[in-house]
Amino acid sequence: MEEISFAVVGSGFMGGVLARVGYELPYARCVAAMDVDFGRAENLVELFGGRAYGNIEDMLNQENPDTVIIATPESEHREAVIAASQKGSHILVEKPFATTLEDADAMIRASDENGVMLMVGHILRFEVNYAMIQAAVVDGRIGRFLSAYARRITPINEAFRLEGRVSPITYIAVHDIDQFLWYHPEVVKSVYARGIKGRVWEQFGTYDCAWITMEYEDGSLGIHEVGWCLPEQWAGWQRPPSWGGFGDVQMNVIGTEGVLNLNFTPMGLYGLDQEGWKLPDTRHWPTMNDKLVGAAKLEMEHFFECVLEGKEPLVTGVDGRRSIEIMIAAENSISQDRVIDLTL
Ligand SMILES: NC(=O)c1ccc[n+]([C@@H]2O[C@H](COP(=O)([O-])OP(=O)(O)OC[C@H]3O[C@@H](n4cnc5c(N)ncnc54)[C@H](O)[C@@H]3O)[C@@H](O)[C@H]2O)c1
């Protein structure tokens, strides 16, 4: 297989996950990591190879990578996507695509004008169970789509790690919003959401959890319960390290002729030892034989395959924009205390 080079922009948690996947693929090579915190870029290249940079223009000019993986904070994707587009690198940018529609439009424009591929990292599209739900819905197995309900609640540690940088709607709910739109890609006419205040609100002024209802023009609904309010003990396990925890996750889809039901609490496997009950992540980025597997790997493989074969990715910039339109409407519904009419 042809070799492909990649550089990582944003060398934090998710940049590290994706860099590791790339490093472990035999045909991919990490040529650089960049971060405004230079020490983080240094840490990443020490593990996965390449050179560290504190400036993106320098990195792109020096390394000319085939692809750039962008894992900067949610509101900081635009500059990196435009810079990489202008240098002709193909791009995988993390979810949420952006935090404003203006940023999303600017990134789509830049990738189109420069003829580069732009994929948004909606990882659940690369998780087998979610993909099977989507396949069944679009195959018509459950008849006409009536409603989908998703729950995604993480341990509170995630909120403490991000220190109020974004709300759980922008950080977490956008995953399941993208799923709803993937299953039922019709026009959404309105969004109504309520935010709930707890320990995270007291410390950082961002909501602990939220309920979001999006109504399609055909009357069907997507309902999402999201949050980062599970107690620390939910995923506080240390051993073995590959038993890292995740959260409380479900998806139920109802149609006129059937139902589909996913329950990831637990994700098939659970255990009990001296540390207590354990519900490890077996789906997103578990490790096996010292390699990272699961949806993160399938996502990166898909990205590289699309670049090498000149194919359109499963999640385009336009898909990413659709999801953030609902995400932003949910944020606005809470802050403005009203239903957001998207038809206006
Ligand atoms: N797909 C998933 O399941 C998943 C999981 C976690 C995070 N994410 C997403 O990944 C992105 C990164 O999140 P994270 O949790 O890794 O954050 P993080 O804070 O761990 O890492 C972000 C890194 O970007 C650096 N940075 C900030 N501004 C920068 C800039 N302008 N240029 C270069 N570097 C910059 C920071 O110094 C930090 O090292 C976000 O969009 C987030 O929502 C996705």
Side-chain angles (χ1 to χ4, degrees), residues 9-14 34-37 40 71-74 76-77 94-96 121 123 161 165 171 175 285:
V9 177
S11 307
F13 170 71
M14 206 58 202
M34 180 264 153
D35 201 294
V36 288
D37 179 341
R40 288 189 169 198
T72 47
E74 297 69 20
E76 306 294 320
H77 295 165
E94 260 308 328
K95 55 46 65 179
I123 191 170
R161 180 177 82 83
R165 174 169 100 193
Y171 189 67
H175 283 293
W285 39 75

Side-chain angles (χ1 to χ4, degrees), residues 65-84:
D66 297 327
T67 64
V68 177
I69 314 295
I70 297 168
T72 47
E74 297 69 20
S75 60
E76 306 294 320
H77 295 165
R78 178 178 177 157
E79 195 191 336
V81 168
I82 292 177

